[in-house]
């Protein structure tokens, strides 16, 4: 399939490089102007008869920090607890008013495998509140949120806290399988002779540790390698990727400086300083980006450390409720959570195309078109991944050949796309589901839009898309 994509999609019109600097400069200034004079558009509501309206009341997150930095001595539940406490502080929510707590995570700490429960207890929530943890690779917090939506629309719950956490500073490292088997056998040995025999069987190879795999289990390929192949298949150049990376960090820095990232809560790390902002937002220059060598496919690849996301530590939390319950408790919701879909496709050649498959499906469910969407937020794993998705969305051939559609759905208008940058992207993006939804809600408020669309890809060739509708101001 890769060769088919290469031959057929190289003829797709390239994205004009000039938009990078143009929109990095213009888009955020337009957002500032809209913030000063919000003009809410008049469109139909997506409410459905007989279905409860689910609203986003508030969303918070810890600062996202590069792994191995200030959070290095913590544990995952520490970050999740901080996010939950920040949510409680920001909303003044009674700790016993929540019906259910759900968290998403990718790499589980074995001591706190149900991190939702440990974090909620640590944050002071009632021990009578059920809590569970979900995983779906990079879209785990998306699953946490949509699970909460399902509990509300089914009438099981009215108030849900959902979130995501990942801690790449201290991932589980196991003994080799041979060593594990020997150690288990030692625990069952009944005589000294049996123990000595097992100890004597240990060889140097037994002591080689097993590191967490950064490769797909089904294909044995790293995500970065897959991103490099995908970029090549869609004819995405190194220049386009570097330009998009520069755009992303530039817009993120400007949003940070403008105070738009109001979901970030300050966090006092025990024994260290107060952390108040992301530390991975680093605008550079095209000259500096051009100096980096390929990170995965050497020497001719186009994916580098600078146009890729990096590993981070952090956590997020959102309060979602039925509209009726939120209003009864005196809250002013930020947005409605509307239709959503999860998708899956070929994990080898289409690993990172979740947004391409999810976007048209969720638009169809909501009865909308790309032109109806005022705010787009796609999670940014790699610049090449984003550019490949934009080209796939804008390709009739891809839509007809792989998606069973008569025509393309079209690419998002860049003046609506990720205008606050990647906001400290992470190679493990599970918490981005909550962050993206909160960002869409805030952008809709500031820019006067009505509909937003979130989309994300995930390991395993999976993806998620959701439509968010602004709450009437």
């Amino acid at each position: 399939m890769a060769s088919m994509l290469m031959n057929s999609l190289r003829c797709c019109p390239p994205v004009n490089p000039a938009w990078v600097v143009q929109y990095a400069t213009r888009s955020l200034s337009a957002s500032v102007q809209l913030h000063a004079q919000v003009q809410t558009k008049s469109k139909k509501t997506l409410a459905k008869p007989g279905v409860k309206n689910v609203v986003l009341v508030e969303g918070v997150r810890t600062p996202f920090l590069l792994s191995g930095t200030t959070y290095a001595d913590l544990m995952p539940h520490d970050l999740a607890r901080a996010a939950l406490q920040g949510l409680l502080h920001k909303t003044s929510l009674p700790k016993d008013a929540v019906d259910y707590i759900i968290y998403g995570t990718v790499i589980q700490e074995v001591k706190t495998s149900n991190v939702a429960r440990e974090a909620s207890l640590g944050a002071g929530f009632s021990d009578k509140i059920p809590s569970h943890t979900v995983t779906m690779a990079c879209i785990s917090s998306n699953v946490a949120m949509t699970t909460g939506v399902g509990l509300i629309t089914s009438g099981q719950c009215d108030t849900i806290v959902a979130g995501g956490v990942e801690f790449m500073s201290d991932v589980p490292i196991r003994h080799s399988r041979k060593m594990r088997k020997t150690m288990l056998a030692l625990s069952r040995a009944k005589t000294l002779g049996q123990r000595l025999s097992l100890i004597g069987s240990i060889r140097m190879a037994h002591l080689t540790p097993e590191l967490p795999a950064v490769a797909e289990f089904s294909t044995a390929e790293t995500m970065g390698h897959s991103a490099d192949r995908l970029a090549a298949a869609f004819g995405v150049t190194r220049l386009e990727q570097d330009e998009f990376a520069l755009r992303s960090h530039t817009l993120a820095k400007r949003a940070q400086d403008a105070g738009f990232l109001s979901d970030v809560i300050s966090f006092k790390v025990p024994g260290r300083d107060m952390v108040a902002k992301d530390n991975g937002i680093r605008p550079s220059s095209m000259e500096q980006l051009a100096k980096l060598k390929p990170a995965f496919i050497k020497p001719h690849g186009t994916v580098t450390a600078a146009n890729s996301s990096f590993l981070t530590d952090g956590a997020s939390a959102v309060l979602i409720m039925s509209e009726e319950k939120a209003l009864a408790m005196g809250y002013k919701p930020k947005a409605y959570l509307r239709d959503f879909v999860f998708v899956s496709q070929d994990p080898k050649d289409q690993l990172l195309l979740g947004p391409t498959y999810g976007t048209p499906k969720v638009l169809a469910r909501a009865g909308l078109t790309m032109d109806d969407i005022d705010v787009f937020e796609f999670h940014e794993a790699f610049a090449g991944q984003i550019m490949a998705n934009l080209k796939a969305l804008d390709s009739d051939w891809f839509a007809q050949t792989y998606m069973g559609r008569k025509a393309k759905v079209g690419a998002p208008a860049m003046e609506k796309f990720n205008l606050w940058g990647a906001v400290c992207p992470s190679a493990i993006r599970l918490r981005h589901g909550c962050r993206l939804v909160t960002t869409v809600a805030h952008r809709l408020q500031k820019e006067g839009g009505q509909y937003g669309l979130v989309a994300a890809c995930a390991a395993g060739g999976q993806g998620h898309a959701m439509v968010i509708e602004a709450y009437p101001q």
Side-chain angles (χ1 to χ4, degrees):
M1 191 209 87
S3 60
M4 292 176 62
L5 281 174
M6 285 282 284
N7 294 333
S8 302
L9 288 171
R10 282 194 184 279
C11 61
C12 289
V15 177
N16 183 359
W19 61 254
V20 179
V21 177
Q22 176 186 5
Y23 287 120
T25 304
R26 193 179 75 189
S27 297
L28 199 62
S29 63
S31 179
V32 174
Q33 293 169 6
L34 285 165
H35 176 42
Q37 186 176 1
V38 175
Q39 295 179 350
T40 305
K41 298 179 181 179
S42 177
K43 299 179 182 177
K44 66 177 181 180
T45 179
L46 299 180
K48 296 178 180 178
V51 178
K52 281 188 176 182
N53 283 327
V54 180
V55 294
L56 171 70
V57 175
E58 188 58 85
V60 302
R61 63 178 178 90
T62 68
F64 290 171
L65 304 187
L66 285 92
S67 61
T69 57
T70 308
Y71 294 154
D73 296 326
L74 302 178
M75 290 180 65
H77 75 283
D78 293 320
L79 294 176
R81 179 181 66 229
L84 290 172
Q85 289 173 332
L87 187 68
L88 287 171
H89 177 74
K90 201 165 187 178
T91 61
S92 300
L93 180 72
K95 293 180 179 179
D96 59 353
V98 177
D99 298 317
Y100 212 106
I101 298 172
I102 312 165
Y103 254 77
T105 192
V106 178
I107 300 178
Q108 293 182 334
E109 162 62 55
V110 293
K111 292 182 179 179
T112 56
S113 57
N114 187 3
V115 70
R117 180 63 171 172
E118 303 307 329
S120 64
L121 292 174
F125 282 92
S126 169
D127 59 10
K128 301 297 189 292
I129 300 173
S131 308
H132 81 266
T133 302
V134 297
T135 185
M136 195 175 179
C138 315
I139 51 176
S140 296
S141 74
N142 306 65
V143 176
M145 279 189 297
T146 55
T147 300
V149 170
L151 288 171
I152 293 173
T153 56
S154 68
Q156 295 293 313
C157 301
D158 277 314
T159 305
I160 299 285
V161 171
V165 61
E166 201 65 36
F167 191 68
M168 299 303 296
S169 288
D170 183 27
V171 296
I173 299 174
R174 304 196 301 179
H175 285 292
S176 68
R177 185 154 195 170
K178 289 182 179 179
M179 190 64 183
R180 298 200 305 272
K181 290 174 68 175
T182 302
M183 294 172 71
L184 288 171
L186 270 170
S187 69
R188 295 191 297 267
K190 299 185 181 302
T191 67
L192 178 61
Q194 289 175 333
R195 295 189 184 96
L196 291 175
S197 176
L198 287 166
I199 292 172
S201 71
I202 297 175
R203 300 291 182 265
M204 287 298 295
H206 287 55
L207 303 179
T208 304
E210 287 184 4
L211 301 176
V214 294
E216 291 291 309
F217 184 81
S218 59
T219 65
E221 183 177 48
T222 65
M223 189 175 285
H225 194 282
S226 180
D228 216 327
R229 288 196 305 106
L230 186 69
F234 280 86
V236 181
T237 67
R238 166 71 182 272
L239 178 63
E240 287 178 305
Q241 293 175 63
D242 286 352
E243 286 173 334
F244 188 87
L246 178 59
R247 172 193 193 263
S248 181
H249 280 267
T250 299
L251 290 178
K253 176 62 174 173
R254 291 183 179 178
Q256 186 180 68
D257 292 345
F260 290 170
L261 310 184
S262 58
D263 56 329
V264 179
I265 57 171
S266 297
F267 176 36
K268 177 63 173 71
V269 180
R272 297 209 181 189
D273 296 333
M274 179 75 73
V275 180
K277 64 180 182 179
D278 309 316
N279 70 358
I281 301 176
R282 297 178 177 180
S284 183
S285 67
M286 290 300 295
E287 292 74 21
Q288 290 296 319
L289 297 182
K291 294 178 181 179
L292 274 71
K293 295 181 179 180
F296 300 99
I297 298 180
K298 303 173 182 179
H300 302 302
T302 57
V303 175
T304 71
N307 60 37
S308 306
S309 54
F310 43 82
L311 301 177
T312 63
D313 304 329
S316 61
V318 294
L319 174 60
I320 59 177
M321 307 175 76
S322 66
E323 182 181 24
E324 182 180 10
K325 183 70 171 181
L327 296 178
M329 292 186 68
Y331 290 117
K332 181 63 180 294
K334 293 179 180 292
Y336 294 106
L337 303 184
R338 298 302 193 190
D339 291 279
F340 61 87
V341 297
F342 289 91
V343 294
S344 290
Q345 58 279 342
D346 173 19
K348 182 172 179 61
D349 290 320
Q350 299 187 7
L351 177 70
L352 304 173
L353 289 180
T356 297
Y357 282 87
T359 296
K361 287 189 175 182
V362 79
L363 288 174
R365 286 184 62 91
L368 300 175
T369 68
M370 291 291 270
D371 289 339
D372 292 318
I373 303 300
D374 304 298
V375 166
F376 291 92
E377 285 290 333
F378 285 18
H379 94 65
E380 301 177 8
F382 304 87
Q385 160 254 337
I386 286 289
M387 303 300 291
N389 274 278
L390 296 181
K391 292 191 176 189
L393 285 166
D394 207 31
S395 168
D396 282 319
W397 177 84
F398 190 88
Q400 294 162 3
T401 305
Y402 291 104
M403 302 175 66
R405 296 178 56 84
K406 294 181 179 179
K408 65 186 180 184
V409 70
M414 294 310 297
E415 61 266 25
K416 301 178 180 180
F417 188 82
N418 289 20
L419 293 191
W420 294 357
V423 191
C424 204
S426 161
I428 301 296
R429 283 159 297 278
L430 65 104
R431 57 191 173 276
H432 264 248
C434 296
R435 199 280 295 172
L436 290 171
V437 167
T438 303
T439 297
V440 165
H442 288 168
R443 281 190 56 198
L444 287 173
Q445 287 180 340
K446 290 182 182 298
E447 297 170 23
Q450 184 164 349
Y451 301 136
L453 192 148
V454 163
C457 60
Q462 303 189 100
H464 169 75
M466 174 184 277
V467 171
I468 294 96
E469 181 179 350
Y471 199 83
Q473 297 303 304

